[in-house]
Amino acid sequence: MGNTTFAVVVGDFNRDGKADLDVLSGYYNGTVTIFLGNGDGTFTQAAGNPTAAGNPSGTNEAAVIGDFNGDGIPDLAVANDAGSVTILLGNGDGTFTPASGGPITMGETPLSLAVGDFNGDGILDFATVNFDNANISIFLGNGDGTFTQAAGSPIPVGSYPYAISAADFNKDGKIDLAVANSAYTSSSTGTVTILLGNGDGTFTQAADSPVTVGYGPRSAAVGDFNGDGIPDLAVANNYNDTVTILLGNGDGTFAMAASTMPSTISSAS
């Protein structure tokens, strides 16, 4: 691996029923490294690795797994902070082949990815935040590992978007997005922008969005925290060491939960 590890993604890349790892590491090398699980908690680096993914003058910041060409084998989308996303198509043995037409040009400094079927055609799409542009990009899958930018993309969000998550927040059967906007300074309150999917690859900002959270939100995780069947959000706030819990109302709006966290990690407003 490189001198700095940024992220790790878990999947069965060689389809042997054992969990494998995709590790993004090292400054300015534009590679990922696949480690194949031995089934006993140990791993072996896959043949042909590290794998080139993106601009070698940039750093690979995030990756997500999806079957982008419909062959039943896990593929990877890798965000490089030099302004691109590389699609790596799995060969089924732990090696990958870059998809044609890549790397795909994004906005400035893509830091996070989310995958879902945004236009209801049964093919996976992806979204990425563009940190320095205050927007997100939506790319619709063509079913062969290539992508086309959606109408209306990029979509404006808050200042310095850092993370993105996908879920059906208003329970209409269409994928929605939550974007954590870091504001990037310790004195600026962060927000979460909620974008409701229209089912055609376009999105509309929800009522009461953006939602105020803590300072410098860097991550937004989805879960049903109060057992009502509606997706909620947990937002990690970097600058004041807190987690904001946002409970979904089922219509794309959220209410801040009463804090039940330890005093050093509590709900923030």
Side-chain angles (χ1 to χ4, degrees), residues 108-144:
E108 293 185 42
T109 322
L111 295 181
S112 178
L113 291 154
V115 169
D117 181 4
F118 302 140
N119 60 347
D121 63 356
I123 300 170
L124 286 180
D125 314 308
F126 75 82
T128 182
V129 302
N130 301 309
F131 180 79
D132 288 313
N133 295 133
N135 61 30
I136 67 169
S137 295
I138 307 296
F139 279 79
L140 304 179
N142 299 316
D144 58 358

Side-chain angles (χ1 to χ4, degrees), residues 220-239:
V222 177
D224 182 6
F225 303 133
N226 60 349
D228 62 357
I230 300 171
D232 309 311
L233 288 167
V235 182
N237 305 303
N238 179 58
Y239 289 122

